[in-house]
Amino acid sequence: MISSPPDWIRLHSDTLTAEIDPHGAQLSVLRDAAGRDLLWNGDEAIWKGRAPILFPIVGTLNGGHFSWRRERYALSRHGFARDRRFEVVRCSDHEALFRQVADNATRKMYPFEFELDVAFRLEASVLVVEASVRNTGNEPMPASLGFHPAFRWPPPYGAARDEHFIEFATDEPGRVRRLDAGGLLTDERQHTPVQGRRLMLQDGLFAQDVVIFDQLRSRHLTYGAATGPRLKVDFPNATHLGLWSKPGAGFVCIEPWRGVADPAGFSGSLNDKPGVFRVAQGARQSLLMRIGWLEPA
């Protein structure tokens, strides 16, 4: 097993071990009680991410910029939080809190005062992750938040790659959204690839990049095969869910979001961007995700 960098924060329970990189407050290791890796390893030749935090936008901006009070601000896809170091506010064997605050560099990209916290807590077989943003400025603040965890596909339990599926808590008949070649949301809605509650995973599903659910009924799903352990992902307050992989890559991302990419042709201000929420002065808004390890049925 490859050793982790010494500044990564390690949490553990009897069932799970998690390690978080303060650079980006990124969950970087998730292992079961037997030490088997459940998370993608960040192979830079394929995709260097593991579980980046998305803030202050989710997805791509039309033209790579947004407008605010007659000024234009450039932001790369998914924002800047994943590329900046967080302060470790506190940590113990079971929980850790990471924080990033506005500074001169962020104000050039996003002209707001904020405090972004990412909290991790291990509760037996469940890892709880909560990202919350507080408006420390003197005006309402538009923002988005997202999670982007990449789970191993296939997981280390012996089933073949094409035997794995995502099973939603309830039927998901709503049409799904896709992105164009520039990463922008298309107007067209496509028939859902979910059959009843189950979505069989195959590389062709991701030939058009991410599959976006914006008419979600479910508040949780499970990922795995018909035999062996599964992972359960809860997303109680997400407005969107993205499922993504690179065809042939050894991961599948299950991404709860409060936000989404710009629609193709969008030219409004950040306040008008679809999926954006507004944080009142002094207030806080959050996004919650739970990742649970489930014993075989």
Side-chain angles (χ1 to χ4, degrees):
M1 186 180 298
I2 298 174
S3 298
S4 303
D7 63 338
W8 286 11
I9 303 300
R10 184 175 184 268
L11 311 179
H12 63 88
S13 70
D14 290 341
T15 309
L16 292 174
T17 297
E19 295 183 22
I20 301 102
D21 182 356
H23 187 86
Q26 178 170 218
L27 177 65
S28 297
V29 171
L30 187 65
R31 295 190 177 109
D32 67 12
R36 292 170 291 204
D37 282 302
L38 306 175
L39 204 69
W40 169 244
N41 65 5
D43 182 348
E44 294 190 8
I46 299 172
W47 182 58
K48 69 177 183 178
R50 299 181 186 220
I53 301 297
L54 316 184
F55 173 83
I57 59 169
V58 171
T60 300
L61 296 172
N62 188 22
H65 66 267
F66 68 87
S67 299
W68 183 256
R69 295 193 171 166
R70 300 183 182 180
E71 298 290 335
R72 298 201 334 172
Y73 296 87
L75 263 180
S76 59
R77 190 175 194 176
H78 295 322
F80 53 70
R82 59 181 176 166
D83 298 318
R84 292 169 53 83
R85 190 172 184 86
F86 284 64
E87 173 193 1
V88 181
V89 177
R90 64 174 183 269
C91 65
S92 69
D93 288 346
H94 305 296
E95 62 179 337
L97 175 64
F98 300 81
R99 177 169 295 159
Q100 185 180 125
V101 298
D103 60 19
N104 288 336
T106 66
R107 293 180 192 112
K108 292 177 181 177
M109 298 179 280
Y110 179 68
F112 302 97
E113 301 301 308
F114 67 86
E115 178 182 271
L116 174 63
D117 284 355
V118 185
F120 297 84
R121 185 173 71 257
L122 265 180
E123 299 175 349
S125 60
V126 178
L127 176 64
V128 182
V129 189
E130 184 171 20
S132 63
V133 59
R134 184 166 71 92
N135 180 354
T136 58
N138 56 14
E139 62 180 331
M141 180 178 71
S144 291
L145 284 167
F147 295 122
H148 202 311
F151 301 105
R152 287 188 177 269
W153 177 26
Y157 298 117
R161 181 180 171 89
D162 62 2
E163 294 177 12
H164 289 82
F165 53 81
I166 286 170
E167 190 163 271
F168 290 88
T170 188
D171 290 351
E172 294 292 346
R175 290 176 175 248
V176 299
R177 308 293 296 274
R178 304 304 291 255
L179 303 178
D180 65 18
L184 300 177
L185 201 62
T186 63
D187 289 335
E188 178 190 9
R189 290 183 179 271
Q190 298 184 3
H191 289 290
T192 179
V194 181
Q195 300 296 315
R197 296 191 297 123
R198 187 169 289 187
L199 172 60
M200 298 303 300
L201 293 174
Q202 53 184 316
D203 287 321
L205 184 65
F206 305 107
Q208 284 184 264
D209 207 286
V210 63
V211 182
I212 300 170
F213 295 81
D214 64 353
Q215 299 175 343
L216 271 173
R217 294 180 173 183
S218 301
R219 293 292 94 194
H220 69 261
L221 56 79
T222 59
Y223 161 57
T227 59
R230 294 191 198 177
L231 291 175
K232 180 183 178 185
V233 181
D234 290 86
F235 35 89
N237 64 342
T239 57
H240 298 72
L241 181 75
L243 301 177
W244 175 72
S245 183
K246 289 189 171 184
F251 64 83
V252 60
C253 293
I254 300 173
E255 308 177 39
W257 302 334
R258 288 187 66 188
V260 72
D262 276 358
F266 178 75
S267 60
S269 74
L270 189 59
N271 259 334
D272 302 321
K273 176 178 166 59
V276 160
F277 56 84
R278 276 159 282 282
V279 189
Q281 181 181 354
R284 183 182 294 273
Q285 294 206 35
S286 66
L287 178 64
L288 182 66
M289 173 177 66
R290 301 182 189 92
I291 302 169
W293 188 88
L294 301 179
E295 294 274 7

